[in-house]
Amino acid sequence: MSRLNTHIAHATADRIVIRGVDLVEEIIGKRSFTEMLYFLSVGRNPTGAQVAILDACLVTLMEHGWTPSSVITRLVLESVPGEMQVALAAGLLALGPVYAGTAEDCAKLLCEITDTSGGSDDRSARTANDLASAIVTRYRNAGHAIPGFGHPLHKPNDPRALRLLQLADDMRISGQYVAALRTLSSAVDAAYKKHITINATGAIAALLLEIQIPSDLMRGMAVVSRSGGLIGHVKEERVKKASREIWRFAEENIPYSEQD
Amino acid sequence: MSRLNTHIAHATADRIVIRGVDLVEEIIGKRSFTEMLYFLSVGRNPTGAQVAILDACLVTLMEHGWTPSSVITRLVLESVPGEMQVALAAGLLALGPVYAGTAEDCAKLLCEITDTSGGSDDRSARTANDLASAIVTRYRNAGHAIPGFGHPLHKPNDPRALRLLQLADDMRISGQYVAALRTLSSAVDAAYKKHITINATGAIAALLLEIQIPSDLMRGMAVVSRSGGLIGHVKEERVKKASREIWRFAEENIPYSEQD
Amino acid sequence: MSRLNTHIAHATADRIVIRGVDLVEEIIGKRSFTEMLYFLSVGRNPTGAQVAILDACLVTLMEHGWTPSSVITRLVLESVPGEMQVALAAGLLALGPVYAGTAEDCAKLLCEITDTSGGSDDRSARTANDLASAIVTRYRNAGHAIPGFGHPLHKPNDPRALRLLQLADDMRISGQYVAALRTLSSAVDAAYKKHITINATGAIAALLLEIQIPSDLMRGMAVVSRSGGLIGHVKEERVKKASREIWRFAEENIPYSEQD
Amino acid sequence: MSRLNTHIAHATADRIVIRGVDLVEEIIGKRSFTEMLYFLSVGRNPTGAQVAILDACLVTLMEHGWTPSSVITRLVLESVPGEMQVALAAGLLALGPVYAGTAEDCAKLLCEITDTSGGSDDRSARTANDLASAIVTRYRNAGHAIPGFGHPLHKPNDPRALRLLQLADDMRISGQYVAALRTLSSAVDAAYKKHITINATGAIAALLLEIQIPSDLMRGMAVVSRSGGLIGHVKEERVKKASREIWRFAEENIPYSEQD
């Protein structure tokens, strides 16, 4: 027989308990979605500042106009009009290592820097700088972009990242991970001999770590956030039918040829 | 050339505008995720009461323990461990007409009742009762359950629905749709000659209509809500590996047979 | 305890049995994929003609260049490059009631015609004509296109449908369902006062019914078929990166506007 | 303007061309699905032996009873009964690095062995053995199973692998990749001091390489193959509703607990 259990939820005829808390008595009407998202992801209640930071990260990622996820959602909606959740889920599949997972990957680098530097004395500060430089060298040698840095449009600075980091400072949330991000930023600039922006997912990586959301759940936060934005695309697509135009573009502008 | 446009979002090097609002100056750090979800879905800012009602609906649907969506997410996570968003999206595909779409379908019935009854004088009240009875008869004749009513576990009453409706009353959000739900409930009880509970999705249908979220976006709210809950399942599954047990159950308890 | 069983497959250490047949001894190296697809879908072995017809239907749907499914697969591949099956599955989600389900819906109409007409005497022939006319009237009144008829590009005739129907005639597969399709075609032409083509999915609907594949599995045949075609898109996309061009098109040609 | 093109397909009113070949004149009724799958994946027509090997690999992976993919497909079918392709696509998402991608990963190891050993003289044969031993050491040191080897049920030998390799020998398809698999098998057995089976995906990896299907398309072959098997699960699930039993199992046997 199974000896497994789950800590998540349990329902009887007149009561639903979620991680030890009564849904009807203590959650509905008393806690916000963002508070519950934190509670279910981290396993304990957030402080007010933690909720504010999580909200800030979530609203940052909700919407960025035309992206692979919004184009996919619109194409699937056109194809399966009666099941909106299928269109949303299809778009969410695209939140992977290229367009949303950089928060996760950047967060791992920040943990790599902080795991060793730990304290704040001269020796460990030097070590953090050294670790950051080594990371930059490693990525450059492999020909990879450094997760959390650079943006094709938002340069020299990504205004979202500036705002998020300022908010973390203002709310006294900034700690070792924001410090590590700034150390890494200096190492990036030194290696490239110019300023490369910290992008939105870089700042989000640092802020989510500061509020104890682990790197391996960050992509889940992107899913929650973007799912909200994609609802707006569903609503607009039902009226504007942009997916047909996008599809027609491919037919007209990427023509068939038997030779290259 | 395309003459289409989009009203959703636009980015330049130093600015991102979302439906006419500056993301960095006016949204990050100033609005909650739930406020933005309302703004992107409905197209204008919510009142405080509307945010509270939307939050209440969202936290109600986040988590209900073992469901098709949570089992699916865990099985996909076990199969594709490196891409968490794939596991979440797979679970979200299941939020369809059987397990989450009943809010949408119930909302359509409530609109059917309110579209005609409109006012509050005797004649229209009688008409609302008649419309509700006709709906119940139509569903019973077709052999279909009435969306928003009944629950295999939560009886005689679904405590979530009671709480949500009370909250709507307390916040003075209850209007024609909550009234229509209660009218429909009376017609259901009369037809079945016993009390059938209004379930959670029935109450959510009425509350979301009261805050002007249309029925054809309600399944999107379920996607947002449940995506948060599924993150908790991902976190637990990485440690407990329940999906293997579930799979083994199928192998052991649903055996192969050449005959029925 | 569960009293359920499954008729599909069973494995022991040295043997795998699929619907009563030994995989290693009787299937691998002895049966083609198409034969097994028929066997698993219908529950018995196909004749040679049935295999030929199923192959003809499968190769017809494999590839049609730029379609929602191929655009979606390419966008997801760009976003999740390490998990090819995710890109394929995302494209397959789009094979729904708009772009591939018309075979299923057309097949249901053909069954509606044949269920009653049955024989070949004058009375039933007249009845088939009457039923077909009634179907056309019903769809026109509802403002819906008739599944299996019409094509934006392939007119006056869809060459694939002509070829498939000729093949069915040549192989003596054509029976009541091909006859019903031709009856329906006459009713369509009479109602519209011009020739509307039978399209590829219309012909496929009739042919698959003739080989005893039920309408409610036809969308599965589209999934198998198109999954093969999408592999070619994955291969090309890895080199050509067309998805980036398609995405850029949306950004450049469907601009942001605060007003319509 | 876009200067991209595609080599895949093109349609005019009366003609569809797929990679330079006329669909209606040269494909429908003349080529099997497996031949076209090869043609679209590899870019040229297969020999008869190549078709036979591809068919053998495809039928091997179609069906293995209860697996994550079949459980997922059934749960989604129960949840979204009207869109069969969604249930199939959800199951196909699970064909990743754990349950179907081992062919891809094993194939990469075989290429690693053959890339260097090349010829057949003593020196290179010794090198192949050395490379195989180095691979085994590398995987053991990392604590990873060697892709293509071992099976929880099929031991000491996976009968599917034996059959596939014998078929390749009989058809004179076996070459450097089958040789590399056998070299790797010897190195595995030597390292573990007992016989570890070559499993089905290991044999498939070698066979698909022998017919020039590259490792990075192998997961696509699994998608095609398993999509056929999942149709059988859809058909059975509509009658047997096993998904409800599987879900109930989780509720009853993996209970809620606030403590571990």
Side-chain angles (χ1 to χ4, degrees), chain D residues 5 16 25 33 44 65 75 84 105 120-121 132 141-142 145 156 160 162 165 175 187 214 218 228 242 246:
Chain D
N5 57 27
I16 295 116
E25 296 299 323
F33 175 75
R44 55 181 170 62
L75 284 161
M84 172 181 178
D105 292 335
S120 62
D121 57 280
N141 288 348
R160 301 167 296 178
L162 295 179
L165 291 169
M218 287 184 186
I246 292 169

PDB file of all heavy atoms in Angstrom, chain D residues 5 16 25 33 44 65 75 84 105 120-121 132 141-142 145 156 160 162 165 175 187 214 218 228 242 246:
ATOM      1  N   ASN D   5      12.894  31.890 -47.043  1.00  0.00           N
ATOM      2  CA  ASN D   5      12.003  31.040 -47.806  1.00  0.00           C
ATOM      3  C   ASN D   5      11.807  29.729 -47.047  1.00  0.00           C
ATOM      4  O   ASN D   5      12.377  29.536 -45.975  1.00  0.00           O
ATOM      5  CB  ASN D   5      12.546  30.800 -49.223  1.00  0.00           C
ATOM      6  CG  ASN D   5      13.931  30.188 -49.193  1.00  0.00           C
ATOM      7  OD1 ASN D   5      14.313  29.498 -48.255  1.00  0.00           O
ATOM      8  ND2 ASN D   5      14.698  30.449 -50.243  1.00  0.00           N
ATOM      9  N   ILE D  16      -0.703  20.988 -55.220  1.00  0.00           N
ATOM     10  CA  ILE D  16       0.046  21.111 -53.975  1.00  0.00           C
ATOM     11  C   ILE D  16       1.384  20.403 -54.189  1.00  0.00           C
ATOM     12  O   ILE D  16       1.418  19.238 -54.602  1.00  0.00           O
ATOM     13  CB  ILE D  16      -0.699  20.465 -52.791  1.00  0.00           C
ATOM     14  CG1 ILE D  16      -2.003  21.231 -52.527  1.00  0.00           C
ATOM     15  CG2 ILE D  16       0.170  20.482 -51.520  1.00  0.00           C
ATOM     16  CD1 ILE D  16      -3.231  20.408 -52.750  1.00  0.00           C
ATOM     17  N   GLU D  25      -0.482  13.899 -57.769  1.00  0.00           N
ATOM     18  CA  GLU D  25      -0.026  13.000 -58.828  1.00  0.00           C
ATOM     19  C   GLU D  25       0.932  11.925 -58.332  1.00  0.00           C
ATOM     20  O   GLU D  25       0.941  10.808 -58.844  1.00  0.00           O
ATOM     21  CB  GLU D  25       0.674  13.810 -59.937  1.00  0.00           C
ATOM     22  CG  GLU D  25      -0.226  14.797 -60.659  1.00  0.00           C
ATOM     23  CD  GLU D  25      -1.387  14.103 -61.366  1.00  0.00           C
ATOM     24  OE1 GLU D  25      -1.173  13.001 -61.899  1.00  0.00           O
ATOM     25  OE2 GLU D  25      -2.504  14.667 -61.347  1.00  0.00           O
ATOM     26  N   PHE D  33       2.341   6.268 -45.476  1.00  0.00           N
ATOM     27  CA  PHE D  33       2.625   7.263 -44.460  1.00  0.00           C
ATOM     28  C   PHE D  33       4.080   7.159 -44.004  1.00  0.00           C
ATOM     29  O   PHE D  33       4.759   8.182 -43.853  1.00  0.00           O
ATOM     30  CB  PHE D  33       1.686   7.067 -43.264  1.00  0.00           C
ATOM     31  CG  PHE D  33       1.994   7.983 -42.116  1.00  0.00           C
ATOM     32  CD1 PHE D  33       1.658   9.322 -42.165  1.00  0.00           C
ATOM     33  CD2 PHE D  33       2.638   7.505 -40.976  1.00  0.00           C
ATOM     34  CE1 PHE D  33       1.951  10.178 -41.109  1.00  0.00           C
ATOM     35  CE2 PHE D  33       2.933   8.354 -39.915  1.00  0.00           C
ATOM     36  CZ  PHE D  33       2.597   9.687 -39.982  1.00  0.00           C
ATOM     37  N   ARG D  44      14.827  12.971 -48.542  1.00  0.00           N
ATOM     38  CA  ARG D  44      14.878  12.160 -49.769  1.00  0.00           C
ATOM     39  C   ARG D  44      14.106  10.867 -49.546  1.00  0.00           C
ATOM     40  O   ARG D  44      13.786  10.518 -48.410  1.00  0.00           O
ATOM     41  CB  ARG D  44      16.316  11.877 -50.183  1.00  0.00           C
ATOM     42  CG  ARG D  44      17.132  11.246 -49.121  1.00  0.00           C
ATOM     43  CD  ARG D  44      18.578  11.001 -49.552  1.00  0.00           C
ATOM     44  NE  ARG D  44      19.342  10.618 -48.371  1.00  0.00           N
ATOM     45  CZ  ARG D  44      19.106   9.538 -47.644  1.00  0.00           C
ATOM     46  NH1 ARG D  44      18.135   8.713 -47.977  1.00  0.00           N
ATOM     47  NH2 ARG D  44      19.822   9.264 -46.570  1.00  0.00           N
ATOM     48  N   GLY D  65       0.889   0.132 -22.824  1.00  0.00           N
ATOM     49  CA  GLY D  65      -0.092   0.048 -21.743  1.00  0.00           C
ATOM     50  C   GLY D  65      -0.129   1.303 -20.898  1.00  0.00           C
ATOM     51  O   GLY D  65      -0.185   2.412 -21.419  1.00  0.00           O
ATOM     52  N   LEU D  75      -6.944  11.464 -18.599  1.00  0.00           N
ATOM     53  CA  LEU D  75      -7.425  12.495 -17.681  1.00  0.00           C
ATOM     54  C   LEU D  75      -7.866  13.754 -18.442  1.00  0.00           C
ATOM     55  O   LEU D  75      -8.854  14.393 -18.082  1.00  0.00           O
ATOM     56  CB  LEU D  75      -6.325  12.868 -16.672  1.00  0.00           C
ATOM     57  CG  LEU D  75      -6.081  11.855 -15.546  1.00  0.00           C
ATOM     58  CD1 LEU D  75      -4.700  12.089 -14.920  1.00  0.00           C
ATOM     59  CD2 LEU D  75      -7.153  11.960 -14.463  1.00  0.00           C
ATOM     60  N   MET D  84     -10.629  15.939 -28.869  1.00  0.00           N
ATOM     61  CA  MET D  84      -9.728  14.792 -28.738  1.00  0.00           C
ATOM     62  C   MET D  84      -8.266  15.138 -28.947  1.00  0.00           C
ATOM     63  O   MET D  84      -7.376  14.567 -28.334  1.00  0.00           O
ATOM     64  CB  MET D  84     -10.171  13.760 -29.774  1.00  0.00           C
ATOM     65  CG  MET D  84      -9.251  12.585 -29.921  1.00  0.00           C
ATOM     66  SD  MET D  84      -9.930  11.496 -31.230  1.00  0.00           S
ATOM     67  CE  MET D  84      -8.644  10.224 -31.241  1.00  0.00           C
ATOM     68  N   ASP D 105      19.240  10.510 -26.550  1.00  0.00           N
ATOM     69  CA  ASP D 105      20.467  10.583 -25.751  1.00  0.00           C
ATOM     70  C   ASP D 105      21.387   9.403 -26.039  1.00  0.00           C
ATOM     71  O   ASP D 105      22.605   9.559 -26.087  1.00  0.00           O
ATOM     72  CB  ASP D 105      20.105  10.650 -24.259  1.00  0.00           C
ATOM     73  CG  ASP D 105      19.433  11.969 -23.910  1.00  0.00           C
ATOM     74  OD1 ASP D 105      19.657  12.967 -24.625  1.00  0.00           O
ATOM     75  OD2 ASP D 105      18.674  12.009 -22.923  1.00  0.00           O
ATOM     76  N   SER D 120      38.024   0.461 -39.330  1.00  0.00           N
ATOM     77  CA  SER D 120      37.821  -0.851 -38.738  1.00  0.00           C
ATOM     78  C   SER D 120      39.144  -1.519 -38.364  1.00  0.00           C
ATOM     79  O   SER D 120      39.172  -2.689 -38.029  1.00  0.00           O
ATOM     80  CB  SER D 120      37.050  -1.740 -39.712  1.00  0.00           C
ATOM     81  OG  SER D 120      37.807  -1.902 -40.892  1.00  0.00           O
ATOM     82  N   ASP D 121      40.230  -0.776 -38.446  1.00  0.00           N
ATOM     83  CA  ASP D 121      41.517  -1.387 -38.085  1.00  0.00           C
ATOM     84  C   ASP D 121      41.648  -1.485 -36.565  1.00  0.00           C
ATOM     85  O   ASP D 121      40.840  -0.943 -35.811  1.00  0.00           O
ATOM     86  CB  ASP D 121      42.677  -0.561 -38.658  1.00  0.00           C
ATOM     87  CG  ASP D 121      42.633   0.858 -38.186  1.00  0.00           C
ATOM     88  OD1 ASP D 121      41.833   1.633 -38.780  1.00  0.00           O
ATOM     89  OD2 ASP D 121      43.334   1.212 -37.221  1.00  0.00           O
ATOM     90  N   ALA D 132      33.854   3.945 -25.357  1.00  0.00           N
ATOM     91  CA  ALA D 132      32.675   3.375 -24.698  1.00  0.00           C
ATOM     92  C   ALA D 132      32.914   3.272 -23.190  1.00  0.00           C
ATOM     93  O   ALA D 132      32.041   3.626 -22.381  1.00  0.00           O
ATOM     94  CB  ALA D 132      32.343   2.017 -25.298  1.00  0.00           C
ATOM     95  N   ASN D 141      29.975   8.063 -12.743  1.00  0.00           N
ATOM     96  CA  ASN D 141      30.473   9.072 -11.804  1.00  0.00           C
ATOM     97  C   ASN D 141      29.426  10.160 -11.537  1.00  0.00           C
ATOM     98  O   ASN D 141      29.348  10.696 -10.432  1.00  0.00           O
ATOM     99  CB  ASN D 141      31.765   9.724 -12.342  1.00  0.00           C
ATOM    100  CG  ASN D 141      32.939   8.756 -12.260  1.00  0.00           C
ATOM    101  OD1 ASN D 141      32.854   7.711 -11.612  1.00  0.00           O
ATOM    102  ND2 ASN D 141      34.033   9.096 -12.931  1.00  0.00           N
ATOM    103  N   ALA D 142      28.645  10.448 -12.560  1.00  0.00           N
ATOM    104  CA  ALA D 142      27.597  11.472 -12.389  1.00  0.00           C
ATOM    105  C   ALA D 142      26.346  10.889 -11.736  1.00  0.00           C
ATOM    106  O   ALA D 142      25.399  11.620 -11.446  1.00  0.00           O
ATOM    107  CB  ALA D 142      27.252  12.082 -13.740  1.00  0.00           C
ATOM    108  N   ALA D 145      21.893   6.958 -15.093  1.00  0.00           N
ATOM    109  CA  ALA D 145      21.736   5.746 -15.886  1.00  0.00           C
ATOM    110  C   ALA D 145      22.238   6.023 -17.304  1.00  0.00           C
ATOM    111  O   ALA D 145      22.177   7.165 -17.787  1.00  0.00           O
ATOM    112  CB  ALA D 145      20.276   5.326 -15.917  1.00  0.00           C
ATOM    113  N   PRO D 156      16.523 -10.450 -18.084  1.00  0.00           N
ATOM    114  CA  PRO D 156      17.824  -9.861 -18.416  1.00  0.00           C
ATOM    115  C   PRO D 156      17.861  -9.184 -19.771  1.00  0.00           C
ATOM    116  O   PRO D 156      18.761  -8.407 -20.036  1.00  0.00           O
ATOM    117  CB  PRO D 156      18.759 -11.068 -18.408  1.00  0.00           C
ATOM    118  CG  PRO D 156      17.885 -12.221 -18.779  1.00  0.00           C
ATOM    119  CD  PRO D 156      16.576 -11.933 -18.133  1.00  0.00           C
ATOM    120  N   ARG D 160      12.138  -6.608 -27.231  1.00  0.00           N
ATOM    121  CA  ARG D 160      11.981  -5.708 -28.374  1.00  0.00           C
ATOM    122  C   ARG D 160      13.329  -5.335 -28.971  1.00  0.00           C
ATOM    123  O   ARG D 160      13.501  -5.271 -30.189  1.00  0.00           O
ATOM    124  CB  ARG D 160      11.242  -4.443 -27.926  1.00  0.00           C
ATOM    125  CG  ARG D 160       9.872  -4.738 -27.340  1.00  0.00           C
ATOM    126  CD  ARG D 160       9.300  -3.524 -26.631  1.00  0.00           C
ATOM    127  NE  ARG D 160      10.117  -3.143 -25.474  1.00  0.00           N
ATOM    128  CZ  ARG D 160       9.887  -2.092 -24.693  1.00  0.00           C
ATOM    129  NH1 ARG D 160       8.855  -1.297 -24.959  1.00  0.00           N
ATOM    130  NH2 ARG D 160      10.660  -1.822 -23.662  1.00  0.00           N
ATOM    131  N   LEU D 162      16.140  -7.099 -28.786  1.00  0.00           N
ATOM    132  CA  LEU D 162      16.703  -8.275 -29.474  1.00  0.00           C
ATOM    133  C   LEU D 162      16.105  -8.401 -30.872  1.00  0.00           C
ATOM    134  O   LEU D 162      16.825  -8.644 -31.853  1.00  0.00           O
ATOM    135  CB  LEU D 162      16.407  -9.541 -28.665  1.00  0.00           C
ATOM    136  CG  LEU D 162      17.066  -9.645 -27.285  1.00  0.00           C
ATOM    137  CD1 LEU D 162      16.641 -10.961 -26.613  1.00  0.00           C
ATOM    138  CD2 LEU D 162      18.599  -9.593 -27.400  1.00  0.00           C
ATOM    139  N   LEU D 165      17.311  -5.564 -33.318  1.00  0.00           N
ATOM    140  CA  LEU D 165      18.707  -5.714 -33.756  1.00  0.00           C
ATOM    141  C   LEU D 165      18.841  -6.884 -34.726  1.00  0.00           C
ATOM    142  O   LEU D 165      19.595  -6.805 -35.711  1.00  0.00           O
ATOM    143  CB  LEU D 165      19.625  -5.889 -32.548  1.00  0.00           C
ATOM    144  CG  LEU D 165      19.746  -4.613 -31.690  1.00  0.00           C
ATOM    145  CD1 LEU D 165      20.445  -4.911 -30.367  1.00  0.00           C
ATOM    146  CD2 LEU D 165      20.499  -3.521 -32.453  1.00  0.00           C
ATOM    147  N   GLY D 175      25.301  -1.391 -39.234  1.00  0.00           N
ATOM    148  CA  GLY D 175      26.591  -0.844 -39.640  1.00  0.00           C
ATOM    149  C   GLY D 175      27.304  -0.319 -38.419  1.00  0.00           C
ATOM    150  O   GLY D 175      27.269  -0.917 -37.348  1.00  0.00           O
ATOM    151  N   ALA D 187      30.917  -2.572 -22.738  1.00  0.00           N
ATOM    152  CA  ALA D 187      31.518  -1.704 -21.715  1.00  0.00           C
ATOM    153  C   ALA D 187      30.599  -1.569 -20.501  1.00  0.00           C
ATOM    154  O   ALA D 187      31.075  -1.539 -19.357  1.00  0.00           O
ATOM    155  CB  ALA D 187      31.812  -0.328 -22.317  1.00  0.00           C
ATOM    156  N   PRO D 214      18.571  11.708 -37.897  1.00  0.00           N
ATOM    157  CA  PRO D 214      19.491  12.253 -36.895  1.00  0.00           C
ATOM    158  C   PRO D 214      18.907  12.191 -35.479  1.00  0.00           C
ATOM    159  O   PRO D 214      17.681  12.156 -35.302  1.00  0.00           O
ATOM    160  CB  PRO D 214      19.686  13.710 -37.345  1.00  0.00           C
ATOM    161  CG  PRO D 214      18.483  14.029 -38.151  1.00  0.00           C
ATOM    162  CD  PRO D 214      18.028  12.743 -38.784  1.00  0.00           C
ATOM    163  N   MET D 218      14.712  12.253 -33.363  1.00  0.00           N
ATOM    164  CA  MET D 218      14.182  10.970 -32.886  1.00  0.00           C
ATOM    165  C   MET D 218      12.964  11.134 -31.981  1.00  0.00           C
ATOM    166  O   MET D 218      12.052  10.312 -31.992  1.00  0.00           O
ATOM    167  CB  MET D 218      15.275  10.194 -32.158  1.00  0.00           C
ATOM    168  CG  MET D 218      16.300   9.637 -33.130  1.00  0.00           C
ATOM    169  SD  MET D 218      17.526   8.622 -32.322  1.00  0.00           S
ATOM    170  CE  MET D 218      18.624   8.329 -33.757  1.00  0.00           C
ATOM    171  N   GLY D 228      -0.359   7.371 -32.349  1.00  0.00           N
ATOM    172  CA  GLY D 228      -1.207   6.275 -32.817  1.00  0.00           C
ATOM    173  C   GLY D 228      -1.716   5.416 -31.668  1.00  0.00           C
ATOM    174  O   GLY D 228      -2.899   5.053 -31.612  1.00  0.00           O
ATOM    175  N   ALA D 242     -11.558   5.032 -17.001  1.00  0.00           N
ATOM    176  CA  ALA D 242     -10.517   4.649 -16.033  1.00  0.00           C
ATOM    177  C   ALA D 242      -9.930   5.859 -15.323  1.00  0.00           C
ATOM    178  O   ALA D 242      -9.444   5.753 -14.198  1.00  0.00           O
ATOM    179  CB  ALA D 242      -9.407   3.871 -16.748  1.00  0.00           C
ATOM    180  N   ILE D 246      -8.433   6.339 -11.448  1.00  0.00           N
ATOM    181  CA  ILE D 246      -7.048   6.740 -11.160  1.00  0.00           C
ATOM    182  C   ILE D 246      -7.048   7.970 -10.258  1.00  0.00           C
ATOM    183  O   ILE D 246      -6.280   8.058  -9.297  1.00  0.00           O
ATOM    184  CB  ILE D 246      -6.310   7.009 -12.492  1.00  0.00           C
ATOM    185  CG1 ILE D 246      -6.139   5.692 -13.266  1.00  0.00           C
ATOM    186  CG2 ILE D 246      -4.971   7.693 -12.240  1.00  0.00           C
ATOM    187  CD1 ILE D 246      -5.672   5.867 -14.701  1.00  0.00           C
TER     188      ILE D 246
END
